[in-house]
Amino acid sequence: MSSLQPKPPQPYPGYCPLEWGQGFLLPERGRPEILCIIDTIADKNKPVLNYGSNWNGGGFKCGSQKIGLTCTNSDGIGFFLSREKWYIFGLSRPSRP
């Protein structure tokens, strides 16, 4: 299993005793959370978002390109993820009531 590269620092020592930085949880509203998990369940029957494809559903949008995956939620907050780098964007936008 791959993880975020470079691996983000934990908020404080011992914050995550499991596998830190394996990916993101993007809520419908608000900022993405870096995952602290021990295992991942992957469903091989789910479709793959091929390069050049987009997916929209439930207020989320994701786009897959050869350079990486970009996903946003209904607040316009999201992340970019590739094998080499990652970042979170849209945090400076005012939150909606």
Side-chain angles (χ1 to χ4, degrees):
M1 173 187 276
S2 61
S3 61
L4 299 175
Q5 296 299 328
K7 191 165 286 220
Q10 293 188 26
Y12 55 85
Y15 174 80
C16 177
L18 307 172
E19 295 291 328
W20 173 251
Q22 294 297 98
F24 290 109
L25 169 67
L26 183 61
E28 183 178 346
R29 309 258 335 251
R31 68 182 305 138
E33 296 176 34
I34 297 172
L35 294 176
C36 173
I37 56 175
I38 190 65
D39 200 0
T40 301
I41 299 173
D43 185 345
K44 294 180 182 179
N45 295 319
K46 294 290 182 187
V48 172
L49 188 59
N50 294 317
Y51 294 140
S53 297
N54 296 306
W55 175 85
N56 297 300
F60 296 95
K61 296 178 184 178
C62 291
S64 177
Q65 300 175 356
K66 288 187 178 184
I67 62 168
L69 176 71
T70 304
C71 292
T72 58
N73 63 16
S74 57
D75 284 340
I77 299 171
F79 63 85
F80 171 82
L81 179 62
S82 74
R83 294 190 187 275
E84 295 82 31
K85 65 182 178 179
W86 63 273
Y87 55 86
I88 295 172
F89 59 86
L91 296 178
S92 61
R93 295 178 186 213
S95 58
R96 293 191 276 180

